[in-house]
Amino acid sequence: MTPQDDEAPDRDEFLAGYAEILAEVSATGRRLTRDELGSRRRAGERAAERGYGLRRLVAEHLDATRTGWSALPGATAANGIRELRTVVDCVLAATHQTIDAVAEGYERAQRLAVRQEEAARREFIDDLLYGRSDLGRLAERAERLGLRLAHEHTVAVADGPDLYDETHPVTRRVEAALLSRFGDRRILLTTKDGRIVLVAPGNHEEVVRHFAKQAHVAMGGEGTDRVAVGRSHPGPGGVVHSYEEALTALELADRMGLPGPLLRAADLLVYPVLTRDRQAMADLVRTTLGPLEQARGGAEPMLRTLSAYFDAGCVAAETARRLSLSVRALTYRLARIHELTGSDPSDPMHRYTLQTAVIGARLLDWPAQKL
């Protein structure tokens, strides 16, 4: 914070009363009283609030001690070197106490300012991601953090094995990597609900890609982390929309077992479409896959087999490898699925219905949840 030139604080405001303290200390040899220490702390607080530098403040106290020394009553009344040395010791001790108190007040005011700034930033982030607050005021607050909400923005959310806040080492590493490569670039990096959140201009695809890469590396890169990216949308409401899309992508990845580390909401639009009519999807799953519950071990092993088969492009050898089965055992399972459901997974006419039903089962968490 830098004060305006016409409002620059006067050094005498922060030194007020200091000369009188030194004069009395030099004459009596006492230490500063509680009230005097309190006045020095308040002087330090005022200096911090008005943007006065701490080094400058300390230097001016030392300068006032040096220039005022010859006029101190204790110094002028001293008889001999021994008395003068005693006065010097008392005045230096008082100066030390004063500077300690000034620095304590200064630092306390700075800590308070930081906490207030952090609280205001957190409130802004909550309003931004949840679409609260007046849009005009929200846009004004966003400008202070380098965001222009009238433009398009993309939100990316990184979810990992830990709960992250803004002081977490992983968050710091990701932030440092982004700043070193892109500067501010009107991007906002924050955390929400234990995840790391990036808000970036919609035309800065390289920022999103770099964020995803750095988050994956910083979180360990062991497959337990995912970065979901919402689509770009304009305006303050666009940030909320993109954020919600990213969260939905993370939820879908968990339910569907989608591979990471990067998920794009634009690539997953088919899933919300499939669940838009939940009752119709439940009917499809119940009718198409319900008979699998008659299989030995229940429907889950057969459902897992179908998922792997479709993910492998309906290639039996690759499916068997993924499931750690022999091709013969896989062939038997597929035949059993055909027998129970009446649908042949290798038949293109039946495949689409089966695959859609399998996706629906994952979305509805069937068979763990009854339909």
Side-chain angles (χ1 to χ4, degrees), residues 149-176:
L149 296 187
H151 298 179
E152 285 194 353
H153 284 87
T154 300
V155 179
V157 180
D159 190 22
D162 203 353
L163 295 177
Y164 306 100
D165 58 25
E166 297 193 6
T167 63
H168 196 286
V170 168
T171 310
R172 294 299 192 193
R173 283 183 60 187
V174 174
E175 182 178 36

Side-chain angles (χ1 to χ4, degrees), residues 7 18 51 62 77 81 84 88 95 103 106 112 116 126 131 137 140 188 221 247 258 273 275 307 309 359 363 368:
E7 297 178 354
Y18 180 55
L62 293 175
I81 295 298
L84 188 59
V88 170
T95 302
Y106 195 98
L112 178 61
Q116 289 174 337
D126 289 344
R137 183 168 175 267
E140 179 183 341
L188 173 66
L247 293 183
L258 300 178
V273 171
T275 56
S307 294
Y309 184 64
I359 292 172
L363 290 172

